[in-house]
Amino acid sequence: MDVAQIVFDGFTDIDVFLTWDLLHRVRRPDLRVRLLGTSRRHRSAAGLAIDMHGSIDEAREADVVIFASGPATRTLVRDAAYLARFQLDPARQWIGAMCSGALLLAGLGLLRGRRATTYPTTVAILGEMGVEVVAEPFVAEGRVATAAACLAGVDLAGWAIEAMYGPAVRSAALAEVQPVGIGAGRGAAVYGL
Amino acid sequence: MDVAQIVFDGFTDIDVFLTWDLLHRVRRPDLRVRLLGTSRRHRSAAGLAIDMHGSIDEAREADVVIFASGPATRTLVRDAAYLARFQLDPARQWIGAMCSGALLLAGLGLLRGRRATTYPTTVAILGEMGVEVVAEPFVAEGRVATAAACLAGVDLAGWAIEAMYGPAVRSAALAEVQPVGIGAGRGAAVYGL
């Protein structure tokens, strides 16, 4: 299985790194998680320079594609040349986004007729793009999912893991990061809901 | 205010990046957060190469020092030359550790007479070092704090923020990452406890 995390300059640190960490707790030899961007390195909002593993042009070949968040989503969503490089297939791929990454899903036409969530600061923009925005931590509609805010990345990563390997592998991976004494949970139960 | 995050090869990704991200949500011009190691770059457990901002020798000058976790803590805790480089002062500095990073606190004599928590896989080792290990997500005793497992990094970062800037700044920083619709919380309330 191939997972592509889509990264760009100014990405929200935890929105990339939480998913990245959780996916590596699956520990299946066939799982490859790669950070894809438009440069050799991208710098996070908090200043970390991270080497990419490949180009966004390779996202179309992944089984799961997860978009990062950050201020850049507001400009990238209006960049037709950028969007045209993805050519994703929601009939075959699992596609998700953290926070303002939902704008890119909308720009790619992936939220047409679907409910979605996003960070409070991008609710209005997403709504203007014709998306039904709901105030929930995580929304999955078919093979397209959105999560907001940062700690809901646990739900998004869990969804991706379950899509690839089933609920038992998801539970085992997420249990590892639960605070001691709090116990394992699935999905929103992670936060004790 | 200066925060030093102590990093080494094979560090648990989220145990560094979650604290790193949360501290940057404070947005105070006097706050400087730096990753300190023993090399120019250290590679995470999941394979990210991260540039350091300085050497562990500089940790003694920080206001807050937070140790990462990872398998390397088992060997570093027996490395007298490594430990001797810290010269931390628990009367002046706030000192914390994620998961197995508690071993390093113990190695530095900082857990003598203090309760602490750690990741389940290092409870026995920490106990053999004479530390009273408790099964809680977060333990603060005076100026020394321990958190386990990964998502309890929210508590540890929150504790550091409150130590430096007070509870209002802590609440504002942590509220930003709470999943949409779940609302803000302080400390363990983050998980809905």
Side-chain angles (χ1 to χ4, degrees), chain A residues 25-43:
Chain A
R25 295 174 187 276
V26 169
R27 299 189 190 90
R28 290 288 181 107
D30 72 320
L31 176 61
R32 188 174 68 151
V33 186
R34 300 169 77 217
L35 305 180
L36 305 185
T38 54
S39 303
R40 195 178 64 80
R41 304 184 96 182
H42 284 295
R43 189 171 290 274

Side-chain angles (χ1 to χ4, degrees), chain A residues 161-175:
Chain A
I161 293 168
E162 184 165 339
M164 294 186 288
Y165 298 105
V169 173
R170 170 199 178 127
S171 294
L174 298 195

